[in-house]
Amino acid sequence: VSVPDMPPVQATLAYTREPHPGPGGLMHPLDTARVEHYLASFERQMLQTALDDCAGILEFTAERLALDEAALKARLQFHSLGV
């Protein structure tokens, strides 16, 4: 994952202020889709980094991430990182 793929720092905040906040300047949570996208991007980057650090050897990658190999393979397949 390259730097342009990463979300802007402001967007990673848990809350955003609406243009015209209600009484007391209440904050509203980010929508679920945006948070899920950021978490998926983070997981994909973490998996790719671990694979690179372990020369693509799944046994070592799974150990590094504290996953069993079946769980690692499922996450790699989910993110289209190949198995």
Side-chain angles (χ1 to χ4, degrees):
V1 175
S2 65
V3 173
D5 294 331
M6 298 299 296
V9 174
Q10 289 177 314
T12 61
L13 298 175
Y15 293 90
T16 59
R17 187 173 298 276
E18 62 180 357
H20 303 288
L26 296 176
M27 307 283 275
H28 298 279
L30 291 171
D31 62 80
T32 302
R34 180 178 281 173
V35 172
E36 287 175 354
H37 172 74
Y38 293 149
L39 291 175
S41 295
F42 174 77
E43 182 179 45
R44 187 178 200 290
Q45 180 182 8
M46 180 181 64
L47 290 166
Q48 186 63 61
T49 298
L51 275 170
D52 293 345
D53 289 350
C54 295
I57 301 170
L58 295 183
E59 180 182 358
F60 297 152
T61 304
E63 183 178 329
R64 179 179 182 119
L65 296 172
L67 296 172
D68 60 56
E69 282 190 58
L72 173 62
K73 288 177 182 178
R75 300 315 303 161
L76 292 173
Q77 186 175 25
F78 176 81
H79 290 285
S80 301
L81 291 174
V83 178

